[in-house]
Amino acid sequence: ASERLYLGMDFGTSGARYALIDRQGTIHAEGKREYPNYMKEDSLDWALSWKTTLFSLLEDVPVHLRPLVASISLDGTSATTLIINSNTGEPLARPYLYNESCPDALPLVKSIAPINHTVCSGSSTLCKLVSWWNNDDSDKKSTMLLHQADWLLWLLHGQLGVSDYNNALKVGYDPEADSYPDWLLSQPYAQLLPIVKAPGTSIGHLKGDIRTQFGFSEDCIVCTGTTDSIAAFLAARATKPGKAVTSLGSTLAIKLLSTTRIEDARYGVYSHRLDDKWLVGGASNTGGAVLKENFSDEQLEKLSEHINPMEASPLDYYPLKSVGERFPVANPKMEPRLHPRPESDVEYLHGILESIARIEAKAYMLLKDLGATQVDEVFTAGGGAKNDKWTKIRERVLGLPVNRATQTEAAYGAALLALKGCQ
Ligand code: ADP
């Protein structure tokens, strides 16, 4: 018999991708689609765009590989929320996007949730739900809340009302108790909440009409998904406590696999559950955006060639694009510090890279102080991962092995969840 394959899809902020892998993690096919711009009453019809893109990606999977797909999973952007008709699955309102804020709901949410809970942010899923509940005067009997990933997976398996505990965190789900807390269940809108399973759990078979239309196999299953940033972490296959992924994109974000759960609202640090472990995360405002303001990608490459990474730069900067930092220093008034600027651009760049590495080291130190498992190896994702001189600087400053992550695409992480659902 031919080898079975596992399909993962990622619905990110700017477009969607798919990755098709085998048991060993080898990629057999991958692809990307932009979201089409469908309009509905003067605004973008996101639900239709995502749905169309989902089926476009299925079209893009090579015909001869489709019968080999044993399992499908996908991720969506965190806190992207749909209110749907619980009989038909049709959206009852425009989807609330991940970064949309519903400050009108915040006072009410703060009055019911524990202090500093993740839901106490205007863009949380719970604020979106409460805002809809209080502002929409349609009949609320047959309604249900789904996250973007849940809804797209529903289009594939057809069982309404299933989510995963990564997506459900920002609506208030307690991943440790593995239930919704009482303060949430006692609310009138609790009836809208989906049931919650671990990411990468089989929900059911791929719907018959989709299976026959596209030529997938009869036993192909659909599994619960996760959020896009967790899927990107999963892609790096950092599966042991102490393994971490630093993302050096426009900003610096770190994620560490820990045996203990830590939360600290001051620093915006919180933990997602991953089976019997915790994925601890924090995001700094420093990062590549400052590099981009000063240098083109070509300049970054040329100048980096002349840096000696074994030598510590004496320049002590705090590179920020604008005022304010959250993690690893909580100070909304922190000023960017990029002075004195030396005459040599090589020295200037060395100073910036070294300073960002010190902030990264401080970030891992803070997680340890807050009670997380001590980091022992760092994988790197994002635009900064390709800079080998920076990697060497970071190895020296962190005192740890630093390697580029082999896989960084969230779609690859989603494919690993599809594989998990078959085991
Ligand atoms: P995002 O998706 O967060 O916008 P990317 O992961 O695409 O970011 O990374 C882009 C960032 O990487 C830019 O800020 C850019 O300055 C930085 N970058 C690009 N090339 C290099 C390099 N050789 N060394 C360090 N940083 C780089």
Side-chain angles (χ1 to χ4, degrees):
S2 292
E3 193 177 15
R4 300 308 302 266
L5 299 175
Y6 307 89
L7 175 61
M9 289 176 273
D10 161 53
F11 286 76
T13 49
S14 58
R17 293 171 187 265
Y18 85 90
L20 190 59
I21 66 168
D22 61 26
R23 295 189 73 77
Q24 283 72 44
T26 306
I27 298 174
H28 288 242
E30 55 189 334
K32 184 178 189 246
R33 285 273 182 164
E34 309 288 324
Y35 297 127
N37 284 336
Y38 293 129
M39 302 296 290
K40 188 178 181 181
E41 295 155 14
D42 294 338
S43 60
L44 285 167
D45 187 347
W46 281 111
L48 183 61
S49 293
W50 298 330
K51 180 178 174 174
T52 307
T53 305
L54 172 69
F55 290 103
S56 300
L57 289 179
L58 293 184
E59 287 281 353
D60 293 345
V61 175
V63 176
H64 68 286
L65 297 179
R66 292 182 205 164
L68 304 179
V69 176
S71 173
I72 304 174
S73 185
L74 62 82
D75 66 82
T77 47
S78 174
T80 298
T81 309
L82 292 108
I83 308 290
I84 57 163
N85 178 310
S86 59
N87 298 314
T88 65
E90 286 308 311
L92 291 172
R94 202 173 57 72
Y96 293 88
L97 298 184
Y98 68 104
N99 56 356
E100 213 167 311
S101 188
C102 297
D104 58 297
L106 204 49
L108 206 141
V109 166
K110 279 187 170 165
S111 74
I112 56 170
I115 191 160
N116 287 334
H117 193 284
T118 0
V119 297
C120 299
S121 142
S123 58
S124 75
T125 313
L126 186 57
C127 280
K128 287 162 178 157
L129 170 58
V130 169
S131 177
W132 177 80
W133 184 262
N134 288 336
N135 292 316
D136 192 290
D137 35 42
S138 62
D139 176 25
K140 299 199 170 65
K141 267 214 185 75
S142 307
T143 51
M144 172 166 273
L145 176 146
L146 287 181
H147 307 91
Q148 181 191 25
D150 312 336
W151 187 71
L152 290 167
L153 285 164
W154 163 72
L155 291 171
L156 300 179
H157 60 65
Q159 299 177 36
L160 263 182
V162 187
S163 187
D164 64 84
Y165 54 58
N166 295 154
N167 271 298
L169 190 77
K170 288 183 180 168
V171 80
Y173 192 79
D174 179 347
E176 197 155 9
D178 218 351
S179 63
Y180 289 106
D182 288 338
W183 59 260
L184 185 52
L185 288 175
S186 59
Q187 303 304 319
Y189 40 80
Q191 62 193 51
L192 275 74
L193 298 170
I195 63 159
V196 175
K197 296 175 188 265
T201 305
S202 168
I203 306 169
H205 285 106
L206 180 63
K207 280 163 75 174
D209 54 338
I210 300 174
R211 175 163 53 77
T212 47
Q213 185 192 337
F214 290 90
F216 289 100
S217 81
E218 213 160 292
D219 62 354
C220 179
I221 59 167
V222 180
C223 302
T224 50
T226 185
T227 67
D228 57 346
S229 63
I230 292 183
F233 177 87
L234 295 175
R237 304 191 96 162
T239 49
K240 293 205 185 78
K243 307 291 173 204
V245 174
T246 296
S247 171
L248 293 172
S250 304
T251 60
L252 177 146
I254 71 174
K255 286 201 162 61
L256 166 68
L257 204 60
S258 170
T259 54
T260 45
R261 179 188 193 181
I262 60 167
E263 312 270 322
D264 197 312
R266 281 175 302 170
Y267 301 108
V269 167
Y270 64 95
S271 302
H272 269 289
R273 182 170 165 188
L274 284 179
D275 296 316
D276 57 348
K277 301 178 196 72
W278 294 95
L279 183 55
V280 179
S284 164
N285 292 336
T286 193
V290 175
L291 293 173
K292 204 169 184 157
E293 260 181 354
N294 287 279
F295 306 107
S296 69
D297 285 5
E298 295 70 44
Q299 283 177 309
L300 285 174
E301 255 173 63
K302 277 262 166 303
L303 293 170
S304 296
E305 280 172 23
H306 302 287
I307 292 176
N308 176 1
M310 300 311 155
E311 216 167 82
S313 167
L315 298 163
D316 181 25
Y317 298 148
Y318 208 107
L320 293 172
K321 251 194 101 169
S322 51
V323 172
E325 173 66 314
R326 181 91 183 269
F327 170 81
V329 183
N331 178 4
K333 298 205 178 91
M334 181 186 267
E335 297 276 348
R337 192 170 71 238
L338 282 159
H339 286 279
R341 177 168 181 161
E343 254 169 50
S344 150
D345 274 347
V346 173
E347 279 174 38
Y348 186 46
L349 177 61
H350 191 172
I352 297 175
L353 298 181
E354 181 106 14
S355 298
I356 295 177
R358 289 189 204 112
I359 296 167
E360 182 185 3
K362 193 166 176 171
Y364 283 114
M365 192 82 79
L366 175 64
L367 294 187
K368 178 175 176 262
D369 291 345
L370 294 174
T373 300
Q374 176 154 5
V375 56
D376 59 34
E377 185 176 9
V378 175
F379 297 95
T380 317
K386 57 175 177 261
N387 190 325
D388 295 331
K389 292 290 174 73
W390 200 1
T391 302
K392 291 226 168 63
I393 293 172
R394 292 165 57 223
E395 282 199 317
R396 169 170 51 76
V397 174
L398 294 168
L400 292 171
V402 178
N403 288 296
R404 201 188 294 193
T406 317
Q407 297 295 338
T408 55
E409 288 295 344
Y412 188 91
L416 290 172
L417 283 181
L419 170 60
K420 178 183 173 221
C422 281
Q423 285 167 340

